[in-house]
Amino acid sequence: MPRMFLDWPVLRQLRTGDVLGRGPAVQSQRTRDWTARTATADRVVGSICPYCAVGCGQRIYVKDERIVHIEGDPDSPISRGRLCPKGSASEQLVNSPQRQTTVLYRRPHATRWESLDLDTATDMIADRVIETRRRTWQDRDGSGRLLNRTMGIASLGGAALDNEENYLIKKLFTALGAVQIENQARI
């Protein structure tokens, strides 16, 4: 009983010198026992937010090869440690139990999706790109002018890609001979 009496908040404030009750006197034992997720991380990895083309810097805290926390990177000249609500919640993008982690494919006229391994799906995409390019390739127009293009392949990029990704996509599709290359950010 006397121990409980000494733990009354006002007496605890006086005993610890925290007269205004803004320091350790108002913390419960449970609060004092808490440890931040960032304090127990094995390492911190710098990254860029995946959601838009702004390119905000992120610090990703990893423990046991699993992302435990993501926060803004104060060293980033773009965001200076700030993240929008989506960027702040991007840890859920990786750790969500609803995250799709397999390649799904629905065959023509099928009613169900089937899982494919990544190599099979990549080969299917490559085969279709090569065949479409071969089938729709135009060397010259009706007047004999050089074209070297395909009108059978087009690209519409999304604003969730950063400048570097859009640059590489533009180079890839240009190398394939596509001329219909657009981005959501311009539309």
Side-chain angles (χ1 to χ4, degrees):
M1 183 73 170
R3 176 81 178 125
M4 289 179 61
F5 177 74
L6 292 176
D7 272 347
W8 283 3
V10 173
L11 293 176
R12 201 168 49 225
Q13 285 173 241
L14 294 173
R15 190 177 73 243
T16 60
D18 184 13
V19 181
L20 297 176
R22 295 183 179 169
V26 294
Q27 288 182 347
S28 68
Q29 185 60 44
R30 181 176 173 215
T31 302
R32 284 192 294 273
D33 291 342
W34 278 352
T35 305
R37 290 182 297 237
T38 57
T40 61
D42 297 331
R43 68 181 191 275
V44 180
V45 181
S47 186
I48 305 295
C49 179
Y51 281 112
C52 74
V54 172
C56 295
Q58 292 183 324
R59 285 187 178 168
I60 300 177
Y61 293 84
V62 180
K63 180 173 178 65
D64 300 327
E65 297 306 311
R66 188 169 189 275
I67 294 174
V68 293
H69 183 73
I70 295 178
E71 64 184 30
D73 185 355
D75 296 331
S76 168
I78 295 167
S79 56
R80 298 185 310 240
R82 298 174 186 90
L83 291 175
C84 71
K86 286 178 79 173
S88 296
S90 58
E91 175 267 336
Q92 296 170 11
L93 178 70
V94 186
N95 292 330
S96 172
Q98 297 175 338
R99 179 180 181 197
Q100 186 65 45
T101 57
T102 58
V103 177
L104 295 179
Y105 174 66
R106 193 175 68 166
R107 297 188 183 279
H109 310 292
T111 58
R112 297 219 162 108
W113 294 91
E114 61 182 273
S115 292
L116 294 178
D117 64 281
L118 185 60
D119 289 338
T120 302
T122 303
D123 289 343
M124 288 172 69
I125 293 168
D127 291 344
R128 290 172 183 180
V129 167
I130 291 167
E131 171 56 25
T132 301
R133 184 176 184 269
R134 186 200 56 73
R135 191 172 26 83
T136 61
W137 186 255
Q138 298 173 343
D139 281 323
R140 299 188 178 273
D141 67 6
S143 302
R145 291 179 293 226
L146 186 64
L147 295 175
N148 285 341
R149 70 178 186 195
T150 177
M151 298 301 281
I153 299 174
S155 171
L156 176 59
L161 303 177
D162 61 31
N163 290 338
E164 290 80 10
E165 290 168 318
N166 281 316
Y167 175 77
L168 292 173
I169 287 171
K170 168 75 168 126
K171 287 191 72 82
L172 168 69
F173 280 94
T174 300
L176 286 172
V179 293
Q180 303 166 121
I181 305 168
E182 191 54 81
N183 188 285
Q184 174 190 1
R186 267 183 23 125
I187 296 178

